Amino acid sequence: MTDTDVWEAFIRWLADQTGLKVIKAHQSGDRPSTPYLMVNFTAFRELREMPQNIEYRDTETLNSEGNPEVEATPVIEGEWDFSVHAYGDAPTDSLRKVKGLVHLSQRLEPLLPALTVHETGPINSVPDWVKKAWEPRAQMNVAVRGLIRDGAVVDVIEEYSIGISRA
């Protein structure tokens, strides 16, 4: 799962839950008709110092000794931060709806396996001066948490038993 996968899953969830058009930030094209939401991916961070677990599996590739290569995959809890911007006549209402949906666990359908909308920040009213007129806008940060599994092939240390006898 990539950061883009999480971003797109979050956009789908917002669109499904709010019924609004939701777009990705920094895309070319015309502005959609209002109301709509725009989502910007702002940060990713690991939540724990160490992985929760490390999963090992044999690959189908053989190493130089003819043994299967081993892939190690740390299971890391991570958090993706998004800045959600609302456009239209009542943009704070659109974001307040998102805040409410996060609190209704029965409405919190999974975005992707092991992803959850974890936290929402304050709703900020941030009107903008566009074409010599004020446009109402609002902004809120949203944190999505999940488990990531990015593995890599590792060197395997062969195990040998050593027999020691007294002479």
Side-chain angles (χ1 to χ4, degrees):
M1 166 175 56
T2 65
D3 294 336
T4 301
D5 293 336
V6 176
W7 192 358
E8 290 171 355
F10 180 53
I11 286 172
R12 283 191 309 275
W13 182 82
L14 279 172
D16 289 346
Q17 298 302 313
T18 64
L20 296 174
K21 171 113 176 124
V22 183
I23 63 171
K24 245 181 169 179
H26 314 296
Q27 303 296 303
S28 297
D30 296 331
R31 287 174 46 172
S33 59
T34 58
Y36 70 95
L37 301 176
M38 179 185 69
V39 179
N40 186 22
F41 169 59
T42 58
F44 170 80
R45 72 181 140 281
E46 292 182 24
L47 296 177
R48 292 179 168 48
E49 188 175 330
M50 302 296 290
Q52 291 180 341
N53 188 21
I54 298 179
E55 300 169 346
Y56 296 92
R57 74 171 185 85
D58 290 340
T59 68
E60 295 181 14
T61 306
L62 300 178
N63 62 18
S64 58
E65 288 86 33
N67 298 318
E69 290 185 336
V70 175
E71 182 179 74
T73 304
V75 180
I76 300 167
E77 185 176 7
E79 186 170 81
W80 292 261
D81 289 334
F82 296 96
S83 179
V84 181
H85 303 258
Y87 300 84
D89 290 334
T92 56
D93 291 346
S94 298
L95 294 181
R96 204 173 63 245
K97 182 176 183 178
V98 173
K99 262 188 174 307
L101 290 168
V102 170
H103 293 288
L104 299 173
S105 60
Q106 68 271 24
R107 295 281 305 196
L108 193 62
E109 285 111 37
L111 302 174
L112 279 175
L115 280 182
T116 309
V117 176
H118 177 70
E119 184 177 12
T120 59
I123 297 171
N124 303 297
S125 177
V126 287
D128 199 8
W129 184 257
V130 178
K131 296 182 183 177
K132 299 183 182 182
W134 285 103
E135 284 188 10
R137 296 183 181 180
Q139 181 277 337
M140 170 177 71
N141 292 333
V142 177
V144 173
R145 285 192 178 178
L147 299 176
I148 58 170
R149 289 175 166 86
D150 293 322
V153 173
V154 295
D155 288 333
V156 177
I157 299 172
E158 300 291 331
E159 291 185 29
Y160 295 96
S161 56
I162 300 174
I164 301 174
S165 61
R166 291 189 162 176

